[in-house]
Amino acid sequence: MIKLEKQHGIATVTLSRAKKQNALSFQMFVELNKAIKSIKRDRSIRAVVIKGDGEHFCAGLDISAVMAAPLNIIKLLLKWLPGNQNLAQKVVLGWQSLSVPVIAQIDGNCLGGGLQIALGADYRIVHVDAKLAIMEARWGLCPDMGANVMMSGLVKRDQALWLASHATPITAQQANELGLVTQLTDDTQQATQNMLNTLLERSPDTLAAIKRVTQLSYKPNQRKILAKETFSQIRLLLNPNTKKAIAKAKGKADITYADTKHW
């Protein structure tokens, strides 16, 4: 479900579940984490591109598939210490652990967990017709994949709060105004290649140093945020109101942006 291709110093990670708009299954979390580890070990890699197979980047978490196996929910959220990263957070923040630039190439729907993964990248190349959203609130849940760590360096506090709360897709233009977009384009493939061409002209040591210094200058209290994300999500999963919210969201007839089984 995750394709990892390495060619000419570029690692391309493709979410490959096109019939489901690349909605995230538990296995995809496992494979994404393995892909990040593989890239981290490979000193020949100079840059990374994350993209979706087909017309969409990612419609978010496949709620029905994940909820059908409660043990997988535990595996996604499990961590040894509160401030550590669990599996769900590793597939977002793991891109920040790489010393090379990471580009998210976004077409179509980029919703829920899909947007959180894209926020973990260093750059987001977004098609002008794309739709972006943080969807968890629609299901009675909160964003818990580490996106809150990244949002503080991109979006004003009130806008981040509203984006997570109203849980409704916004246009690429609106996302650009908020600060979620690095570049808007009508050809994400070409725009991504143009960015790669520029980055590959620079020394890899220089790019690594710039990434680390920039991370420090925008660094929030990551461990505290990760602990709060997971604690809040567990409380919500155990809350009766969450079951009501999920049932309500599934029953809505006006949700046309994606399959209602996804975030």
Side-chain angles (χ1 to χ4, degrees):
M1 295 182 185
I2 300 296
K3 296 178 183 177
L4 172 59
E5 299 173 298
K6 300 177 182 179
Q7 196 171 31
H8 307 303
I10 308 299
T12 302
V13 180
T14 306
L15 309 180
S16 187
R17 202 179 177 212
K19 291 183 178 179
K20 288 283 189 177
Q21 295 187 18
N22 304 314
L24 299 165
S25 65
F26 175 76
Q27 186 59 31
M28 290 174 76
F29 281 92
V30 174
E31 292 179 20
L32 272 172
N33 191 40
K34 288 182 178 179
I36 293 170
K37 290 180 178 179
S38 175
I39 294 168
K40 196 170 187 177
R41 291 192 299 265
D42 192 337
R43 292 303 185 92
S44 70
I45 298 302
R46 296 281 313 278
V48 179
V49 176
I50 315 167
K51 64 180 185 177
D53 190 10
E55 299 179 357
H56 301 281
F57 182 78
C58 177
L61 186 68
D62 188 334
I63 289 284
S64 296
V66 175
M67 295 293 280
L71 182 59
N72 287 342
I73 299 174
I74 295 174
K75 291 178 179 178
L76 279 175
L77 299 178
L78 182 65
K79 56 176 70 177
W80 293 111
L81 293 172
N84 289 1
Q85 298 175 21
N86 56 32
L87 180 57
Q89 292 162 339
K90 286 178 180 178
V91 303
V92 173
L93 299 177
W95 308 110
Q96 290 297 303
S97 72
L98 303 179
S99 60
V100 299
V102 180
I103 304 169
Q105 181 180 312
I106 300 172
D107 293 279
N109 285 334
C110 180
L111 311 176
L115 178 54
Q116 293 194 66
I117 289 172
L119 289 172
D122 300 306
Y123 306 100
R124 280 157 295 284
I125 304 295
V126 181
H127 194 277
V128 292
D129 293 329
K131 301 289 184 183
L132 296 83
I134 292 179
M135 298 299 300
E136 285 78 358
R138 186 175 291 273
W139 302 92
L141 300 171
C142 67
D144 68 330
M145 291 174 59
N148 291 294
V149 174
M150 305 304 301
M151 288 280 279
S152 61
L154 298 171
V155 180
K156 293 179 180 179
R157 179 183 175 278
D158 59 338
Q159 296 295 341
L161 185 64
W162 178 241
L163 185 66
S165 298
H166 74 69
T168 302
I170 60 176
T171 66
Q173 289 76 12
Q174 289 172 314
N176 186 45
E177 292 171 3
L178 287 177
L180 297 175
V181 176
T182 306
Q183 183 181 342
L184 277 180
T185 179
D186 59 3
D187 187 341
T188 56
Q189 182 69 33
Q190 187 58 55
T192 298
Q193 187 59 55
N194 292 343
M195 179 174 280
L196 287 171
N197 292 341
T198 299
L199 291 170
L200 293 178
E201 290 179 356
R202 308 291 175 253
S203 160
D205 295 326
T206 296
L207 294 179
I210 291 172
K211 182 169 180 174
R212 294 294 173 245
V213 170
T214 304
Q215 284 176 331
L216 284 173
S217 65
Y218 283 90
K219 191 172 184 178
N221 188 329
Q222 179 172 307
R223 293 185 63 83
K224 186 174 182 179
I225 293 173
L226 295 181
K228 191 65 174 179
E229 277 190 351
T230 303
F231 177 71
S232 298
Q233 194 73 304
I234 291 173
R235 284 188 63 187
L236 287 170
L237 285 167
L238 298 174
N239 193 315
N241 285 333
T242 302
K243 293 182 180 179
K244 295 177 183 178
I246 292 174
K248 182 179 179 181
K250 284 185 176 180
K252 276 187 173 291
D254 61 345
I255 300 176
T256 58
Y257 47 83
D259 186 323
T260 56
K261 290 183 280 188
H262 308 153
W263 280 355

